[in-house]
Amino acid sequence: MTTVEKITEPAKELTVKKQVDVLVVGGGPAGLIAAQAAAEDGLNVMLIENRSFVGGNMTIGLPILGFLGQKGNQIIMGIPQKFIDRLKSVDASSEHRPCPLHMSLTLVEPEAVKNVGLEMLIEAGVDVLLYAFCVGVVKDGDELKGVIIESKSGREVVLAKTIIDCTGDADVAFRAGVPCEQGNETGGAQPPTLMFCMGGVDTEKLRMSIAEEPRTYLTDFIPAEYFGQNNQFIVVGLRSVMQKAREAGYHLPVERTILITGLREGEVWVNMSRINGVDGTSPESLTYGEIEGRKQVEEIQRYLKEFVPGFGNSYFTKMAPFLGIRETRRIVGGYVLTAEDILGCHRFEDSIAVASYPLDLHHPEGGGCTLTWCGDSYDIPYRSLIPQKVENLIVAGRCISSTHEAMSAIRVMAPCMAMGEAAGRAAKLAIRNNVKPSQLDVQLLRAELAEKGAYLHEAEVLA
């Protein structure tokens, strides 16, 4: 039988499903906020999401990192804080808890995120379409005019005056021809994690064991007294315990035990699987990641039950609905944010968000991780959200224009939410002022962000 390598698909006309002012592609932390911001004063806004729910990585058991800065002050406000307040109203979010390692943790209930996120979008007047993939774009020269979507209904088109790429993978930008990069200088990307949850954990026994026996249960950077003072917490470390498990024949993929208490009693989310070499833009690679991740989860459960205090009577309850991807594509935009910008606490005249999370590089090989703090906070410039070579497109989230190292800091959820608000407001202002997003007067955007409650530094430096 002859091997067929390519087949030509006949050209066909596609139905225009919708024409809108702003189209947001991706309903994760950035997209959820971007759509609300864009729709605030009545523009026709649509959000498409390929899953059956919104919330992205807020739905896989991770805490939201980055609402507080390294000096303890709150640096992410505006619509992201309104979202947290709404979750709190249904007992689905904690306060922003200071953390010696991650600056701050905000615990959220994954299922409530899906419900509350959808409710807020509908209330804002956003037209939400789930179960739809972005598979192509419509361009006229260098201007993006819309996206091609695919669903059970087939291939259709959504046209928009401005499009916001909140896919995390730069899917729209990549298909539109925006220059993109992926991984480090050799192409190695930070590995993903498959989160899972254990119930029936004696979290009091866990925290007091760490507080009272710090030599046995040593944690990374987090002092033992932290656990004595907090009954909702994150554990990072227990390296000597893991060494004992390895000596007993356990195969553990990471160097540290990472546990996050849930909002419900006895619930702990586990961030300990690591699947090196996964390309988050390849379905074959993602499938491998799911298979390997589930194997790792079984071994990690055994380790927790035998070696970690409080887990003796615990049981598996649920797996995250998808792999937690840390890194895929990054666009090349008007400015490439660097590690030096972050470690130097750089201020930008066109700053649209302030972040403080450290450089947090999970090594592409092995099981290690390196964290480096700047001591304060740094700005994210608007130019990093504006891609080269394509007009009418704004990018928000971990796929903005940055280096591999800088992305490791701005990839966490609170900064992504802040970027989403900036992108949504920028799209709206560009349409209202009849200019392309690349031509928008950023000071108008900064003024609106400040007026609506976002936190910004005073413009100090033009970079």
Side-chain angles (χ1 to χ4, degrees):
M1 180 176 178
T2 303
T3 300
V4 178
E5 294 184 353
K6 291 185 179 180
I7 292 201
T8 300
E9 183 179 12
K12 54 186 175 182
E13 292 184 345
L14 301 182
T15 301
V16 175
K17 186 178 187 69
K18 197 90 173 180
Q19 295 188 52
V20 297
D21 294 313
V22 179
L23 173 63
V24 180
V25 183
L32 180 64
I33 303 300
Q36 293 179 63
E40 197 172 67
D41 70 352
L43 285 182
N44 187 358
V45 177
M46 185 175 193
L47 180 145
I48 64 172
E49 165 59 47
N50 60 43
R51 298 187 175 98
S52 64
F53 53 86
V54 296
N57 278 354
M58 287 188 286
T59 69
I60 68 173
L62 290 166
I64 300 176
L65 306 178
F67 268 97
L68 303 184
Q70 292 177 34
K71 292 188 174 180
N73 57 318
Q74 185 166 346
I75 57 171
I76 307 291
M77 299 181 185
I79 298 177
Q81 181 58 47
K82 290 181 179 178
F83 180 68
I84 297 300
D85 291 340
R86 184 70 168 264
L87 288 172
K88 283 183 185 176
S89 71
V90 291
D91 297 321
S93 173
S94 70
E95 300 294 327
H96 305 311
R97 302 180 184 278
C99 174
L101 188 63
H102 300 98
M103 306 308 101
S104 70
L105 305 170
T106 309
L107 306 177
V108 294
E109 171 53 44
E111 294 304 318
V113 165
K114 299 174 185 178
N115 295 337
V116 170
L118 197 54
E119 288 170 4
M120 292 183 75
L121 288 168
I122 300 304
E123 289 168 9
V126 176
D127 185 0
V128 179
L129 181 65
L130 304 175
Y131 298 101
F133 284 84
C134 167
V135 296
V137 298
V138 179
K139 286 178 69 180
D140 181 5
D142 64 355
E143 293 192 11
L144 190 60
K145 296 295 187 179
V147 303
I148 301 170
I149 64 172
E150 188 141 16
S151 69
K152 292 284 189 179
S153 298
R155 292 168 76 89
E156 300 169 299
V157 174
V158 178
L159 300 177
K161 296 175 183 175
T162 302
I163 296 168
I164 307 176
D165 185 340
C166 294
T167 62
D169 301 320
D171 286 339
V172 180
F174 178 74
R175 285 167 173 77
V178 174
C180 292
E181 298 177 342
Q182 190 164 340
N184 59 18
E185 63 278 0
T186 61
Q190 296 191 72
T193 291
L194 183 59
M195 297 286 293
F196 69 97
C197 185
M198 299 290 282
V201 181
D202 186 343
T203 55
E204 281 297 292
K205 182 177 181 179
L206 173 62
R207 78 179 185 96
M208 294 312 297
S209 295
I210 296 171
E212 295 172 358
E213 302 176 61
R215 290 187 178 181
T216 302
Y217 304 109
L218 181 64
T219 57
D220 292 5
F221 299 99
I222 304 177
E225 54 266 25
Y226 169 85
F227 297 94
Q229 298 164 359
N230 295 277
N231 55 19
Q232 289 179 328
F233 52 88
I234 185 169
V235 175
V236 180
L238 308 190
R239 294 173 187 258
S240 61
V241 177
M242 295 182 74
Q243 182 58 36
K244 290 180 181 177
R246 288 192 173 95
E247 291 170 358
Y250 284 76
H251 300 283
L252 301 173
V254 289
E255 295 178 354
R256 308 173 301 169
T257 298
I258 305 179
L259 309 170
I260 307 115
T261 57
L263 291 173
R264 296 172 178 167
E265 185 176 352
E267 186 176 86
V268 171
W269 286 91
V270 184
N271 182 354
M272 287 182 64
S273 64
R274 170 179 298 222
I275 309 99
N276 292 339
V278 170
D279 178 354
T281 65
S282 160
E284 294 86 357
S285 192
L286 287 167
T287 301
Y288 159 75
E290 290 282 352
I291 294 168
E292 176 61 24
R294 289 169 189 272
K295 291 178 183 176
Q296 292 181 8
V297 164
E298 292 182 4
E299 185 80 339
I300 293 164
Q301 288 179 53
R302 291 178 54 236
Y303 154 71
L304 293 172
K305 289 173 70 69
E306 184 169 345
F307 287 90
V308 179
F311 280 85
N313 295 318
S314 66
Y315 49 88
F316 173 84
T317 61
K318 51 195 166 186
M319 195 87 74
F322 54 87
L323 284 169
I325 301 296
R326 293 186 173 93
E327 178 179 14
T328 52
R329 304 185 191 101
R330 308 181 307 277
I331 68 162
V332 179
Y335 184 84
V336 180
L337 191 68
T338 68
E340 290 73 25
D341 292 328
I342 287 167
L343 296 180
C345 300
H346 203 90
R347 306 282 183 260
F348 292 94
E349 189 175 69
D350 63 337
S351 166
I352 47 77
V354 177
S356 187
Y357 192 72
L359 300 178
D360 182 3
L361 276 165
H362 293 251
H363 303 160
E365 298 180 357
C369 178
T370 303
L371 286 93
T372 312
W373 296 264
C374 70
D376 192 356
S377 59
Y378 47 88
D379 288 349
I380 298 174
Y382 180 65
R383 286 165 293 162
S384 292
L385 279 61
I386 302 299
Q388 294 182 6
K389 298 188 177 181
V390 175
E391 296 287 358
N392 303 332
L393 176 63
I394 307 173
V395 175
R398 61 177 166 84
C399 52
I400 67 165
S401 180
S402 68
T403 63
H404 166 74
E405 292 78 15
M407 193 280 305
S408 73
I410 57 88
R411 65 182 170 82
V412 296
M413 288 185 275
C416 287
M417 295 167 83
M419 286 185 261
E421 178 167 6
R425 295 194 183 284
K428 178 187 68 175
L429 287 170
I431 290 170
R432 294 298 189 201
N433 288 277
N434 196 30
V435 298
K436 295 180 174 64
S438 63
Q439 300 167 342
L440 179 66
D441 181 349
V442 182
Q443 298 314 314
L444 287 177
L445 173 58
R446 284 173 51 82
E448 177 164 316
L449 284 165
E451 178 189 349
K452 298 295 185 178
Y455 178 90
L456 296 173
H457 291 125
E458 292 295 325
E460 297 174 4
V461 179
L462 176 61

